[in-house]
Every structure is written in C-alpha cells, then in structure tokens.
Amino acid sequence: MTRSNRHQRPGAGAAHPSVHHWIVGPGALGRMLAMHLATAHAPHDTVTLVGRRAMPGQQRLITPHGQTLSATLATASLESLPAEPADVIHLTTKAYACEAALGAIAERLTATTPLVLWQNGFDCQPRITARHPGPVLCATTTEGAHVQDDSQVTHAGHGKTFLGDLDGRHSALATALAKHVNAAGLACEAVADIRIRLWRKLAVNAAINPLVAQFQIRNGQLRDTPYRGMVEVVIEELAPILASERITPPTGTGVQGWSELVWEVAASTANNRASMLQDVLAGRPTEHRAILGPLLDSAQRHGLQAPTLSSLYARLRELPANARI
Ligand code: KPL
C-alpha cells in the first residue's frame, strides 16, 4: 500500500489528492470499505481501521467472484488512536454505537474534519449533523457484506452507494469523496436528496428486518404465507407516515409504490439473512431504535396510528442480549 504525504481534504482543490481515511467500526461494511480503499490503484489513499479493540492488520476480503484479496491495513483502537490525523472519518459502526464512537474520538476531531455516517435508519444522522462543526455526509449503500472472523469479510454482492449531506452545504465534498469511493471499486454517486434516500432504505428495513428477525427466516421467505400479509400490514402503516415526512417511493405512489419497492428488495435479496436477523442470532443489540424509532416518532407527531410498528418495536426492545426471539 502506497503512503503519500500529500494528504489533503477531499474537494480541497488538488486534481488527485491523496486522502487518509479513518474507518471507525471494523464490522463487515467497515472492513469491506477499508479493503477497497486500501487496495485501489488510484488514487493512493491510505486507511486506518479503528475499532473498540485493534483488529489484526492482515485482512482478507472474499470478493463477489470468490477471489481472496489480502492486504495489511493500519489498525488502531479507540483507546490508542492513530498518530496520523484523518482527512476524513467514516463511521461504520452499528447505528446504536455511532455516537459513543464519535465521543471516543472527539479529541481528534477538528472544526473542519469531514465525517461520513454509514448507519442504517434515520436517528443519529440529524443529531450529528446539528452537533459537529465540520461537514457531515451521510451514506446509504446496498453493498452486501458479512463477517467471517476478525481477519476475513465476505463481500457477498455489489450494490450502489449514495452520498450527500442533510443541509445541502457540502455537495462539492460529496462529489469529491464519491470519486474516491468509485476509484476504490465501489459504485458511488453524490446526491442532493440523501434524506429521501435514507428514509426509503429505512422504510424497506422496517418492512423486512423486524419480521425476518422475529421468524428467523431469509428475506425471500417473506413472500410466502403467512408472512406476506404481515409485510403488507406494515407497509399500510408505513405509507401515511412516510407521506407525512414528504418521502415518496422511487416509483408509483402511496401503499402501492412502497409495496413495489419492498417486494423488489425482498426478491433481489431473497437468499440474504437480513442484518437484524444476523444481530439477533449473534446476540447483539438490534438497530430497532434507528429503523422503527423515527417512524413511531413521526406517527406520534402527525397523529397517525402505528399499532403493528409499535408492537414490533416493543418486541425487539424487550429482547435481552444473547437471547433469541
Ligand atoms: O438492508 C438490508 C438489511 O439486511 O439490513 C436488507 C435490504 C433487508 C437486505 O437484507
């Protein structure tokens, strides 16, 4: 891996600035991103992978074509942060761990350090955008990855990443950073409507994740009886809440538009174990607060009924760590 001393904030003017990325959160997404940025041929970005504990530097990525990519990454822990400052910090933790991770690196943030939030849902993103003095970008991705062990991650399938900021002030930075992610081999586009895109993914996650976690089934099985009807009930509750947030489905309108999107994702990820199911099976906390919380808060603000979403939320909240549903 080439290390350049021409570190520069992306979007700061140079034709091909080399950027030092800190990736905080060495789960499947974080390590998949780190491996791509570290092994890309151009630009010669550098990467440090930061976790609660330092991960092994020698990492492997199994590509969607079954090849094994190996690289030695710089790694660090939250207790012993990298000496070299970050040009950009990617937070790739689970949604519920994001703000604690940010707190742990607070002393190393400057008023201009760009943050990229890769979390599911729509919970920490507006709070961090309001609080961090520097630019905050949000990312939403359909890249599929899962952890094998501390040294190996499988990149199950290529998807697409969208990047943008919630207050519309950092589009040049989003465009510059999208170039780095593209150059690293991950399709990425800077967009002006990231809020809509985050909510759309939240809608899909809300319709799929709690049910597959509860019944311990793969996404595609939701198309079968009796699960299909349960998904449709969730979609009927989601649609008016999303409309009250002025979030439209990508095609069609209302219940029919959201239904099309959800069934399209259930079909294209039919063989997947959704992230929430993986969390439940591994005894980890789930992202129910980030995914269902904003919908329930919005329903309450707008006087809408959401009994099914409330009971899915309550069931996931009650789940003790290390217990299965
Ligand atoms: O994003 C996902 C997840 O697992 O969290 C879906 C779209 C449900 C794919 O599995």
Side-chain angles (χ1 to χ4, degrees):
M1 190 172 68
T2 308
R3 276 200 171 257
S4 163
N5 55 14
R6 294 182 304 115
H7 290 148
Q8 190 166 354
R9 215 186 91 176
H16 294 291
S18 174
V19 169
H20 182 206
H21 304 258
W22 283 13
I23 297 184
V24 180
L29 174 68
R31 280 192 269 159
M32 192 274 293
L33 177 65
M35 288 294 281
H36 276 84
L37 288 167
T39 57
H41 296 298
H44 296 296
D45 288 1
T46 57
V47 175
T48 303
L49 190 61
V50 183
R52 261 178 309 178
R53 58 192 168 86
M55 302 299 279
Q58 194 62 42
Q59 289 286 327
R60 286 184 305 278
L61 182 77
I62 311 299
T63 71
H65 302 295
Q67 288 157 331
T68 304
L69 209 66
S70 299
T72 306
L73 301 182
T75 61
S77 74
L78 289 175
E79 277 89 54
S80 172
L81 291 168
E84 197 177 352
D87 298 309
V88 53
I89 297 178
H90 301 262
L91 285 156
T92 53
T93 63
K94 290 282 185 184
Y96 51 77
C98 180
E99 282 156 301
L102 193 57
I105 60 171
E107 68 189 44
R108 300 295 298 280
L109 296 174
T110 73
T112 57
T113 311
L115 300 177
V116 187
L117 310 179
W118 290 79
Q119 282 64 38
N120 273 331
F122 194 74
D123 191 33
C124 61
Q125 294 93 334
R127 282 197 299 273
I128 295 176
T129 298
R131 217 176 59 207
H132 179 57
V136 178
L137 300 181
C138 303
T140 177
T141 188
T142 52
E143 296 288 348
H146 53 264
V147 167
Q148 297 293 343
D149 56 39
D150 274 6
S151 308
Q152 186 164 304
V153 162
T154 297
H155 186 191
H158 277 290
K160 178 138 190 199
T161 299
F162 296 98
L163 265 184
D165 67 310
L166 292 177
D167 44 19
R169 291 190 297 129
H170 303 294
S171 58
L173 176 66
T175 303
L177 203 58
K179 279 194 190 137
H180 286 255
V181 178
N182 272 308
L186 297 171
C188 183
E189 190 185 329
V191 292
D193 60 351
I194 195 70
R195 177 178 175 274
I196 293 179
R197 289 171 190 272
L198 289 166
W199 272 94
R200 282 182 183 155
K201 182 157 192 227
L202 175 154
V204 170
N205 286 149
I208 293 181
N209 292 12
L211 288 170
V212 293
Q214 178 177 346
F215 295 106
Q216 305 203 353
I217 54 176
R218 291 181 191 259
N219 296 353
Q221 291 175 270
L222 286 176
R223 295 172 296 183
D224 303 335
T225 309
Y227 310 120
R228 190 175 190 92
M230 298 179 189
V231 175
E232 292 294 355
V233 169
V234 173
I235 295 171
E236 273 166 33
E237 277 184 27
L238 288 175
I241 302 174
L242 293 162
S244 71
E245 292 294 329
R246 298 194 310 283
I247 307 295
T248 52
T251 57
T253 52
V255 171
Q256 164 260 331
W258 291 114
S259 188
E260 262 173 38
L261 177 64
V262 168
W263 292 121
E264 191 184 294
V265 174
S268 65
T269 62
N271 215 22
N272 282 19
R273 282 205 179 91
S275 54
M276 198 175 275
L277 174 56
Q278 290 182 42
D279 290 339
V280 167
L281 294 175
R284 288 189 295 261
T286 70
E287 296 186 303
H288 62 283
R289 170 64 228 165
I291 292 169
L292 297 175
L295 289 164
L296 292 172
D297 292 347
S298 172
Q300 196 171 33
R301 275 198 309 276
H302 295 98
L304 296 165
Q305 299 298 311
T308 309
L309 291 169
S310 300
S311 70
L312 290 170
Y313 184 92
R315 188 188 292 268
L316 289 161
R317 194 191 46 205
E318 296 310 316
L319 208 64
N322 292 315
R324 302 195 168 183
I325 288 184

